[in-house]
Amino acid sequence: MSVPLSILDLSPISAGSTAQQALRNTVDLAQHAEQWGYHRYWLAEHHFVSVASSASITLIGLVAAATSRIRVGSAAVQVGHHTSASIVEAFGTIDALYPGRLDLGLGRSGHRRSQYGAEPAHPKGGHPKVDTATGRTEIRDGVVVPPPFDPGRVTDRSKFLASAAALQQEGAQALDFAEQVDEVRALLGGYFVSKNGVALHAVPGEGAQVELWLFGSSGGESAELAGQLGLPFAAAYHVSPGTALDGVDAYRAAFRPSALLAEPYVVVSADVVVAADDATAQHHAATYGHWVHSIRSGAGAADYLDPATATPLTPEQHRLVADRLATQFVGAPSTVVERLDALQRVTGADELLVTSITHHHEDRLESHRLLADAWGIRAARAA
């Protein structure tokens, strides 16, 4: 097809399995992804939930060591839980051994101004807005744009607040996102000066051949900052389908050419499950709603259930996750390719990022293999 395809992995833990096995599965999938022609392999950072990617930077190093060509990176480092120096030194260490293959993605999660859930919808942007009062879902040339999810529907925030507290030293306060992005850029570029005027140099880290990205889920601060700095931007349609298209618009509207990019570069994500036929794919994806419900109920991502034994969602549970179910791309290769092509066409994405979760690892491997074949990247890699 017309744009590259990349993978986002959360290292999900299946019910009855372990974090150790999830990490082995991640390395295995990354090695196959490289063989099949995927462009990048990105790892998400999540804490105190049933995914094994909590130490995402460590995992990036392990994946880089187990592969040889594919770009590896973060999607994204939750900068509110890290100092700028620790991020740059960690990526610099990996880059020293695997130079020129790393993508350093930064996200606002964990920041003092971030909220539980998606960033607030931005008033600017060219796409018609969803009528949130009536809950009307918009269909744009085959792309589903549901009403933005209201974080206020998450009634139990106790685990989120406890997790946030555990991830910071007592009394510590994260910088504003833009200020921390500036610090990371300065440390990488070798021009960092402390608040009291002392020049500091990250060793390793300074001069590392990493590609800097910003991530966002709406037309808010992250999208605009990426545009203003002339950085590539990743829009999380798979997390916030009701606002991600606004993020693409805001990024392009704010874009200013930089030494890195002369024109905007956008990656758009999608949640995908592919199988030999639609019915099989739907079976493999049958417990995705349960997993999203565990997140939105406040408990955080739970073990991914086996569709052969899980009970169906109740109507009330289904209502809480309906937007994510409607925007998951599930089916035979031709079905999913048609929907991905529509997403690329509507957003003008320069690259698509797919994430796939199934209970059985072999089903996830098959999903990515079938998609690589149908999208044409496997054949291109072989050529």
Side-chain angles (χ1 to χ4, degrees), residues 11-383:
S11 295
I13 301 172
S14 295
S17 189
T18 64
Q20 291 84 350
Q21 186 58 53
L23 293 171
R24 295 186 189 99
N25 292 345
T26 281
V27 172
D28 184 51
L29 177 57
Q31 292 172 328
H32 281 92
E34 182 171 76
Q35 297 170 16
W36 295 334
Y38 284 92
H39 185 47
R40 310 175 199 271
Y41 197 91
W42 283 350
L43 285 305
E45 177 184 342
H46 296 283
H47 299 277
F48 301 111
V49 293
S50 194
V51 299
S53 59
S54 55
S56 60
I57 302 177
T58 301
L59 188 52
I60 287 166
L62 296 171
V63 169
T67 54
S68 59
R69 296 178 305 274
I70 195 169
R71 295 194 66 86
V72 185
S74 53
V77 173
Q78 297 183 6
V79 292
H81 302 320
H82 306 266
T83 65
S84 304
S86 69
I87 295 169
V88 172
E89 289 172 346
F91 271 83
T93 300
I94 302 169
D95 177 74
L97 298 177
Y98 310 103
R101 292 178 54 203
L102 297 188
D103 297 323
L104 172 48
L106 303 177
R108 270 182 52 201
S109 295
H111 259 264
R112 67 189 185 201
R113 291 198 293 159
S114 66
Q115 297 181 9
Y116 190 85
E119 293 178 344
H122 197 269
K124 293 184 278 186
H127 291 287
K129 299 299 179 287
V130 175
D131 183 351
T132 56
T134 62
R136 189 180 74 234
T137 294
E138 180 188 3
I139 307 295
R140 289 186 51 81
D141 194 17
V143 175
V144 179
V145 183
F149 179 74
D150 177 10
R153 295 175 69 188
V154 179
T155 55
D156 184 1
R157 295 177 41 132
S158 57
K159 184 171 183 178
F160 168 74
L161 295 173
S163 299
L167 289 165
Q168 281 193 328
Q169 296 286 347
E170 187 175 353
Q173 189 174 40
L175 300 173
D176 286 340
F177 183 58
E179 186 176 357
Q180 191 157 8
V181 172
D182 283 345
E183 282 194 351
V184 169
R185 296 173 72 219
L187 286 163
L188 288 170
Y191 54 89
F192 178 84
V193 178
S194 72
K195 287 182 169 44
N196 57 355
V198 177
L200 297 175
H201 299 275
V203 182
E206 185 174 308
Q209 301 175 50
V210 301
E211 191 170 285
L212 191 62
W213 288 72
L214 298 190
F215 283 69
S217 56
S218 77
E221 179 184 14
S222 300
E224 292 188 343
L225 183 61
Q228 291 163 5
L229 297 177
L231 296 174
F233 178 67
Y237 177 79
H238 80 287
V239 169
S240 186
T243 58
L245 272 62
D246 290 334
V248 173
D249 286 339
Y251 166 67
R252 289 202 175 103
F255 186 82
R256 301 294 179 267
S258 68
L260 179 65
L261 289 177
E263 298 179 347
Y265 193 94
V266 178
V267 167
V268 178
S269 64
D271 207 300
V272 169
V273 175
V274 186
D277 54 72
D278 287 348
T280 302
Q282 289 163 6
H283 173 72
H284 291 167
T287 52
Y288 178 70
H290 301 69
W291 188 75
V292 175
H293 183 269
S294 69
I295 297 169
R296 287 187 169 175
S297 67
D303 290 354
Y304 201 84
L305 298 178
D306 187 343
T309 57
T311 58
L313 292 173
T314 67
E316 182 179 356
Q317 290 172 328
H318 189 278
R319 281 192 294 272
L320 188 65
V321 301
D323 59 326
R324 293 284 293 276
L325 293 175
T327 53
Q328 189 186 29
F329 295 15
V330 179
S334 58
T335 301
V336 173
V337 164
E338 181 179 3
R339 291 191 63 188
L340 285 174
D341 188 54
L343 182 65
Q344 189 279 326
R345 186 172 58 251
V346 167
T347 61
D350 300 286
E351 187 176 330
L352 293 176
L353 178 69
V354 296
T355 182
S356 179
I357 303 180
T358 59
H359 177 74
H360 298 291
H361 178 58
E362 56 268 27
D363 294 334
R364 191 160 70 126
L365 287 175
E366 182 74 351
S367 177
H368 286 298
R369 184 190 66 79
L370 289 171
L371 182 57
D373 285 340
W375 198 256
I377 57 173
R378 194 178 183 198
R381 172 75 186 89

